[in-house]
Amino acid sequence: MMLKIVLDNWHTTLKRTNDLVDGLSDEQLMQEIAPRRNRGIYLLGHLTAVHDAMLPLLGLGEAHYPALLAPYVKEADNKQDYQETPAQLRQYWKEVNNSLNSKMAALTPGDWLDRHTSVSPEDFAKEPHRNRLNVLVSRMLHLDNHRGQLVLLKGKDE
Amino acid sequence: MMLKIVLDNWHTTLKRTNDLVDGLSDEQLMQEIAPRRNRGIYLLGHLTAVHDAMLPLLGLGEAHYPALLAPYVKEADNKQDYQETPAQLRQYWKEVNNSLNSKMAALTPGDWLDRHTSVSPEDFAKEPHRNRLNVLVSRMLHLDNHRGQLVLLKGKDE
């Protein structure tokens, strides 16, 4: 039941984000959420790269688009055109989450309480909370944190 | 262990928000997070009112400041001075969370999976996910969503 509650909230947060992003035009995504702050396009690339990296972190396979990590996570918003178009990022975002969700659906409660791949067996023995479920909860918070910023693009002049 | 992970993340999210709010001046709190959007002061009142309402919702006692619900939850940001000063809202925020955390610490895993007070025993029998833990997870997401907005006040001209 506790696992179901976390997973239900993950899916709800993801659906709210998808509904929000689907309702924003490409022109709105190219705008800053506030003066001199990140643009929507950067946040969409950022969330896609972070969710993509969950695949190897949860031991569920390779990342699909590891090249997104540099421009959208390690570096700040370049404030220019990215190599990826808004349409491509929208597609990558959906694809990465679909892959993640279908692979997560096969995990058992025991799998969720097992270690994630960036903690060693020795460290995990001492810190058993460093498990897959903890990754999911922190990424869910990360997602809603940025959703609170993306919502500021709604109703912006295109 | 699953409960510990959710509670640890709750405390981390709360600490990050407290560190952020403590680092903002009263003048920064009076500014809008983005043009024509909510001011920091409204969001602080909003979060305080919502966390205060968790006390009765979780069956942990009466709300301390139920009068905050109208101006900070039901109504939009009035864009003028509020009855509460920033200093008062900062104090209420800490007080409400301290009360909530000390009462939550006494709850057992069974208590967390029991129903919250806005669902009837009959409905809870059909929808057992409508429990205290679900309230905590959704309020934790709500908190980080608005934390992502409050962070936009950092570095603003005072």
Side-chain angles (χ1 to χ4, degrees):
Chain A
M1 175 54 74
M2 290 195 182
L3 179 59
K4 174 185 161 52
I5 285 167
V6 172
L7 287 171
D8 283 356
N9 276 280
W10 163 264
H11 290 295
T12 301
T13 306
L14 209 48
K15 182 177 178 351
R16 285 177 180 159
T17 309
N18 286 338
D19 290 348
L20 170 61
V21 170
D22 289 348
L24 294 172
S25 66
D26 289 352
E27 290 73 20
Q28 285 175 320
L29 276 182
M30 296 309 287
Q31 298 201 31
E32 294 175 329
I33 53 164
R36 298 179 306 284
R37 298 292 180 160
N38 290 325
R39 291 175 301 165
I41 190 76
Y42 177 82
L43 291 176
L44 181 59
H46 178 77
L47 289 170
T48 304
V50 167
H51 286 208
D52 198 25
M54 288 173 71
L55 286 164
L57 187 56
L58 295 176
L60 299 176
E62 305 270 310
H64 296 209
Y65 303 103
L68 299 180
L69 279 173
Y72 298 103
V73 179
K74 291 179 190 156
E75 293 158 30
D77 185 350
N78 72 6
K79 303 292 182 185
Q80 295 170 354
D81 278 349
Y82 277 110
Q83 194 176 323
E84 298 77 21
T85 63
Q88 283 174 316
L89 282 181
R90 289 175 193 273
Q91 183 208 315
Y92 298 169
W93 168 246
K94 294 278 172 75
E95 178 194 330
V96 161
N97 287 315
N98 286 343
S99 175
L100 200 51
N101 285 333
S102 72
K103 287 175 176 170
M104 285 188 346
L107 294 176
T108 65
D111 292 333
W112 281 108
L113 292 180
D114 201 359
R115 71 185 175 93
H116 57 70
T117 61
S118 77
V119 60
S120 68
E122 296 72 32
D123 288 345
F124 183 65
K126 286 175 279 184
E127 301 173 294
H129 61 280
R130 298 176 67 182
N131 54 35
R132 287 190 179 96
L133 186 67
N134 211 350
V135 169
L136 186 70
V137 172
S138 69
R139 292 306 179 276
M140 178 169 74
L141 288 164
H142 175 259
L143 174 59
D144 223 33
N145 185 292
H146 289 305
R147 188 174 67 88
Q149 299 177 331
L150 284 167
V151 79
L152 301 174
L153 296 172
K154 275 178 72 172
K156 278 221 179 187
D157 290 341
E158 298 182 24
Chain B
M1 175 54 73
M2 289 195 182
L3 179 59
K4 174 184 160 51
I5 285 167
V6 172
L7 287 171
D8 283 357
N9 276 281
W10 163 262
H11 290 295
T12 301
T13 306
L14 209 48
K15 183 178 177 345
R16 285 177 179 160
T17 309
N18 286 337
D19 290 349
L20 170 62
V21 171
D22 290 349
L24 295 172
S25 66
D26 289 353
E27 290 72 21
Q28 285 174 321
L29 275 182
M30 295 309 288
Q31 298 201 33
E32 293 175 331
I33 53 164
R36 298 179 306 283
R37 298 292 179 159
N38 291 325
R39 291 175 301 164
I41 190 75
Y42 177 82
L43 291 177
L44 182 58
H46 178 77
L47 289 170
T48 304
V50 167
H51 286 208
D52 199 26
M54 287 173 71
L55 286 164
L57 187 56
L58 295 175
L60 299 175
E62 304 271 310
H64 295 210
Y65 303 104
L68 299 180
L69 279 173
Y72 298 102
V73 178
K74 290 179 192 157
E75 292 157 29
D77 186 349
N78 72 7
K79 303 293 182 184
Q80 295 171 352
D81 279 348
Y82 277 110
Q83 193 176 325
E84 298 76 21
T85 63
Q88 283 175 317
L89 282 181
R90 289 176 193 273
Q91 185 208 313
Y92 299 169
W93 168 245
K94 295 276 173 79
E95 179 194 329
V96 162
N97 288 313
N98 287 342
S99 176
L100 199 52
N101 284 333
S102 72
K103 288 175 176 169
M104 284 186 349
L107 295 177
T108 65
D111 292 334
W112 281 107
L113 292 180
D114 201 358
R115 71 186 174 94
H116 58 69
T117 61
S118 77
V119 60
S120 68
E122 295 72 32
D123 287 345
F124 183 65
K126 285 175 279 184
E127 300 173 296
H129 62 279
R130 298 177 67 181
N131 54 35
R132 287 190 178 96
L133 187 68
N134 211 351
V135 169
L136 186 70
V137 171
S138 70
R139 292 307 178 276
M140 178 168 75
L141 289 164
H142 176 258
L143 174 58
D144 223 34
N145 185 291
H146 289 305
R147 188 174 68 87
Q149 300 177 331
L150 284 167
V151 79
L152 301 174
L153 297 172
K154 274 177 74 170
K156 277 223 178 186
D157 291 340
E158 298 182 22

